[in-house]
């Protein structure tokens, strides 16, 4: 597949880059050219929370898919790409490391490529004109717009704080059996023998003299008693379940932010002060 032309990739800035499955990889923030051929070679893609990270992705096999740009690299490969500063140019070592990561062949003929789109192969002075005096209208010269104008844009970083949900742990119910000793007091009854003596009266005389005058006899009485009997049964006591509730805490997050300051350096005014 031929590499896309610079005219094609100019319209890709700001589009969404997707992997072969169509899942979003990030937003294309910049296009970088090979400084020898002037052809598009890399795109920087904003990834991470709020687009806080820029990752280099090769454009060799990139192609437009509707409003998106598709590349043959999955999310993990792009996410784990070596972190390079998108500050205008890739060194030979940086580019070699990126090529190894994406499994591409690298030769030194690609050295020090990766200039922002519009600056490859040009000899530009600080006023935004090339050495022939022609105004530079290339994309990427000034952050105030697609072309350099007579104004300077002052920018500053601001914190954008959000939250993301992650798993902090798990809770589970577990039921197990324990054995404990219980003491219960149970009243029990028993029969004991008691000897009763009664005198001979008219009422019991006949019963007392109904047998032999003198004899040997035995009388037997059966005694009874109660003994404790233990029986166990299973009784349901309660139902237990897990539920979740959301608790809100306040946390302080600190981060450094950079701000640009603009001051006027009036050389003519300084010269007049030196003459005094």
């Amino acid at each position: 597949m031929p590499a896309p032309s610079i005219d094609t990739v100019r319209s890709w800035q700001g589009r969404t880059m997707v992997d072969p499955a169509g899942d979003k990889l990030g937003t294309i923030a910049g296009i970088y050219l090979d400084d020898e051929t002037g052809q598009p070679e890399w795109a920087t893609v904003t990834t991470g929370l709020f687009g806080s990270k820029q990752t280099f992705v090769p454009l060799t096999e990139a192609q437009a898919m509707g409003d998106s740009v598709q590349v043959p690299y999955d999310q993990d490969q792009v996410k784990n790409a070596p972190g390079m500063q998108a500050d205008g140019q890739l060194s030979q070592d940086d580019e070699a490391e990126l090529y190894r990561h994406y499994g591409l062949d690298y030769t030194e003929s690609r050295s020090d490529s990766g200039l922002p789109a519009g600056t490859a192969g040009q000899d530009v002075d600080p006023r935004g004109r090339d050495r022939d005096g022609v105004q530079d209208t290339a994309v990427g010269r000034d952050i105030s717009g697609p072309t350099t104008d007579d104004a300077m844009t002052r920018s500053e970083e601001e914190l954008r704080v959000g939250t993301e949900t992650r798993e902090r742990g798990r809770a589970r119910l577990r039921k197990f059996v324990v054995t404990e000793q219980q003491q219960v007091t149970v009243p029990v009854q028993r029969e004991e023998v008691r000897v009763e003596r009664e005198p001979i009266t008219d009422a019991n005389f006949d019963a007392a003299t109904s047998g032999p005058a003198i004899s040997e006899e035995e009388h037997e009485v059966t005694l009874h008693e109660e003994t404790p009997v233990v029986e166990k049964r299973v009784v349901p006591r309660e139902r237990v379940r897990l539920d979740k509730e959301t608790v809100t805490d306040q946390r302080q997050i600190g981060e450094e932010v950079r701000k640009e300051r603009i001051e006027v350096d009036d050389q003519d005014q300084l010269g007049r002060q030196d003459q005094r």
Side-chain angles (χ1 to χ4, degrees):
M1 178 183 299
S5 66
I6 186 171
D7 292 332
T8 299
V9 300
R10 284 182 190 275
S11 64
W12 287 0
Q13 285 183 283
R15 290 196 188 185
T16 298
M17 180 175 285
V18 298
D19 65 8
D23 295 327
K24 180 179 179 180
L25 297 174
T27 302
I28 298 177
I31 304 295
Y32 282 67
L33 310 179
D34 188 300
D35 65 342
E36 293 184 357
T37 65
Q39 295 302 309
E41 188 172 10
W42 300 96
T44 53
V45 179
T46 57
T47 60
L49 186 63
F50 304 123
S52 58
K53 179 184 177 183
Q54 290 197 26
T55 304
F56 280 88
V57 181
L59 291 175
T60 306
E61 300 182 42
Q63 57 180 335
M65 299 292 290
D67 294 333
S68 303
V69 176
Q70 189 176 59
V71 292
Y73 309 110
D74 58 26
Q75 290 181 332
D76 288 339
Q77 193 168 12
V78 173
K79 178 182 178 181
N80 298 322
M84 305 298 179
Q85 293 294 327
D87 55 0
Q89 190 171 11
L90 289 174
S91 69
Q92 188 179 93
D93 291 339
D94 290 343
E95 194 169 25
E97 186 176 357
L98 285 168
Y99 266 81
R100 285 192 298 269
H101 174 76
Y102 287 104
L104 301 174
D105 294 332
Y106 176 78
T107 61
E108 292 190 2
S109 61
R110 299 179 180 270
S111 62
D112 295 337
S113 60
L115 293 172
T119 63
Q122 295 176 345
D123 188 10
V124 182
D125 68 17
R127 295 171 297 177
R129 299 178 180 272
D130 60 23
R131 296 311 181 189
D132 295 329
V134 179
Q135 179 70 33
D136 177 19
T137 59
V139 175
R141 285 266 330 136
D142 188 88
I143 61 174
S144 60
T147 59
T148 302
D149 54 21
D150 58 356
M152 180 181 294
T153 299
R154 187 188 69 82
S155 303
E156 65 181 42
E157 295 177 334
E158 64 179 11
L159 293 181
R160 297 178 62 191
V161 180
T163 60
E164 62 180 3
T165 302
R166 62 180 179 85
E167 185 176 304
R168 63 178 295 267
R170 296 189 180 188
R172 63 172 57 92
L173 285 177
R174 183 169 62 90
K175 185 170 69 172
F176 57 94
V177 178
V178 297
T179 301
E180 62 181 17
Q181 190 73 25
Q182 289 188 351
Q183 298 291 336
V184 180
T185 300
V186 181
V188 293
Q189 294 181 340
R190 70 176 183 276
E191 296 176 341
E192 294 183 350
V193 66
R194 180 177 74 244
V195 177
E196 293 185 354
R197 299 174 185 274
E198 60 183 23
I200 301 300
T201 63
D202 292 339
N204 60 18
F205 181 80
D206 292 338
T209 59
S210 62
I214 300 295
S215 65
E216 293 182 355
E217 296 182 19
E218 289 185 358
H219 284 266
E220 185 178 86
V221 176
T222 302
L223 302 177
H224 297 86
E225 66 176 359
E226 296 178 336
T227 59
V229 177
V230 178
E231 182 184 60
K232 293 185 288 185
R233 62 174 181 165
V234 178
V235 180
R237 294 300 187 190
E238 62 180 354
R239 299 278 291 168
V240 181
R241 66 172 54 88
L242 290 177
D243 197 4
K244 297 188 296 184
E245 62 178 4
T246 301
V247 179
T248 302
D249 296 328
Q250 299 292 332
R251 295 188 180 180
Q252 296 292 330
I253 300 177
E255 185 60 76
E256 293 182 348
V257 295
R258 298 177 299 171
K259 297 182 178 180
E260 295 177 341
R261 301 294 188 191
I262 297 177
E263 60 181 20
V264 178
D265 186 3
D266 192 339
Q267 297 293 336
D268 183 60
Q269 180 67 24
L270 292 175
R272 288 199 296 271
Q273 291 178 355
D274 291 340
Q275 294 173 3
R276 295 178 181 176

